[in-house]
């Protein structure tokens, strides 16, 4: 659904009819489709890594205890919104989730230090370099799309007679995280 949303966004925000036609032609190109799929998988892996890093405070990757991070940038903050009904057109089609994630990804790659004392050190990894996602540059995913993805990554599958429960990423080993990524690529 991320790839479809990216294409929808590009078409919706194309300035001319020629630009929309160019997007249609690109969609028929197998290498474009493969690259878009890989970039979308990278985005999902970023989310998985963030779930893991936020659950593992001992790793000190993220400023988990900082209230600015908790209320303004954390994936946990977005996770708290995973089951809130998006009942209005503006809440469904807005880009709060997307803007929050792109900002967090930027902070993880470049670091940040604000006037009010909030800071994050950059991660020495190309994973959060937004320039690596060439096809997704500038794409703002609608709230209902990212809410659904976060919902599915946050909650276990519903089984007969049992309710969905929160998935804990705290006990996931780094090898298991890598295996998840490999299975996403497969």
């Amino acid at each position: 659904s991320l790839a479809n949303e990216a294409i929808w966004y590009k078409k919706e925000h194309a300035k001319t009819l020629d630009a929309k036609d160019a997007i249609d032609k690109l969609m028929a190109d197998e290498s474009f489709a493969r690259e878009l799929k890989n970039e979308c998988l990278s985005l999902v892996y970023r989310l998985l890594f963030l779930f893991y890093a936020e659950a593992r405070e001992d790793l000190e990757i993220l400023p988990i205890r900082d209230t600015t991070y908790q209320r303004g940038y954390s994936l946990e903050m977005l996770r708290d919104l995973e089951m809130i009904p998006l009942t209005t057109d503006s809440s469904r089609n807005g880009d709060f989730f997307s803007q929050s994630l792109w900002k967090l990804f930027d902070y993880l790659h470049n670091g940040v230090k604000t006037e009010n004392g909030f800071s994050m050190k950059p991660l020495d990894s190309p994973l959060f370099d937004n320039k690596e996602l060439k096809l997704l540059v500038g794409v703002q995913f609608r709230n209902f799309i990212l809410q659904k993805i976060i919902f599915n990554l946050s909650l276990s599958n519903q089984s007969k007679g049992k309710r969905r429960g929160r998935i804990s990423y705290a006990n996931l080993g780094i090898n298991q995280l890598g295996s998840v990524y490999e299975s996403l690529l497969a």
Side-chain angles (χ1 to χ4, degrees):
S1 64
L2 279 176
N4 290 335
E5 179 70 3
I7 291 167
W8 174 87
Y9 182 88
K10 295 272 188 188
K11 283 179 147 183
E12 191 69 19
H13 291 88
K15 303 283 186 212
T16 66
L17 198 54
D18 288 340
K20 288 182 183 186
D21 288 342
I23 293 167
D24 285 334
K25 286 179 185 171
L26 272 175
M27 288 173 27
D29 180 5
E30 279 187 45
S31 65
F32 171 80
R34 189 173 30 260
E35 183 61 30
L36 182 59
K37 177 192 77 162
N38 288 341
E39 287 188 19
C40 290
L41 286 172
S42 291
L43 201 63
V44 171
Y45 189 65
R46 286 179 178 194
L47 294 174
L48 289 171
F49 180 84
L50 286 170
F51 280 127
Y52 177 74
E54 286 187 3
R56 295 288 309 270
E57 187 180 334
D58 59 310
L59 298 177
E60 298 180 355
I61 295 171
L62 299 167
I64 302 298
R65 292 189 181 266
D66 187 294
T67 55
T68 301
Y69 178 79
Q70 291 170 357
R71 294 181 186 156
Y73 303 107
S74 73
L75 189 55
E76 189 65 32
M77 177 264 304
L78 293 177
R79 208 176 183 190
D80 288 342
L81 301 174
E82 71 199 9
M83 293 174 56
I84 302 293
L86 302 174
T87 55
T88 66
D89 217 29
S90 63
S91 67
R92 284 184 50 72
N93 297 316
D95 58 10
F96 175 77
F97 280 78
S98 190
Q99 285 189 30
S100 298
L101 288 173
W102 286 121
K103 178 64 74 180
L104 178 55
F105 298 157
D106 181 59
Y107 285 174
L108 282 164
H109 181 67
N110 296 310
V112 67
K113 188 169 182 86
T114 66
E115 292 174 10
N116 70 354
F118 173 71
S119 67
M120 283 178 66
K121 43 187 181 182
L123 288 177
D124 186 21
S125 166
L127 178 62
F128 291 100
D129 185 353
N130 289 333
K131 292 176 194 152
E132 293 291 318
L133 303 178
K134 294 167 184 63
L135 299 177
L136 296 179
V137 167
V139 171
Q140 294 295 332
F141 300 97
R142 291 177 286 182
N143 288 335
F144 78 94
I145 296 290
L146 287 175
Q147 183 188 45
K148 181 180 173 188
I149 289 167
I150 291 171
F151 178 86
N152 287 328
L153 292 174
S154 294
L155 298 173
S156 63
N157 291 329
Q158 189 169 3
S159 57
K160 194 174 183 178
K162 287 188 174 183
R163 293 176 27 169
R164 293 182 83 150
R166 275 263 174 129
I167 295 171
S168 172
Y169 287 85
N171 296 325
L172 193 64
I174 199 73
N175 290 338
Q176 291 168 313
L177 194 62
S179 294
V180 169
Y181 182 62
E182 287 174 11
S183 66
L184 284 172
L185 290 176

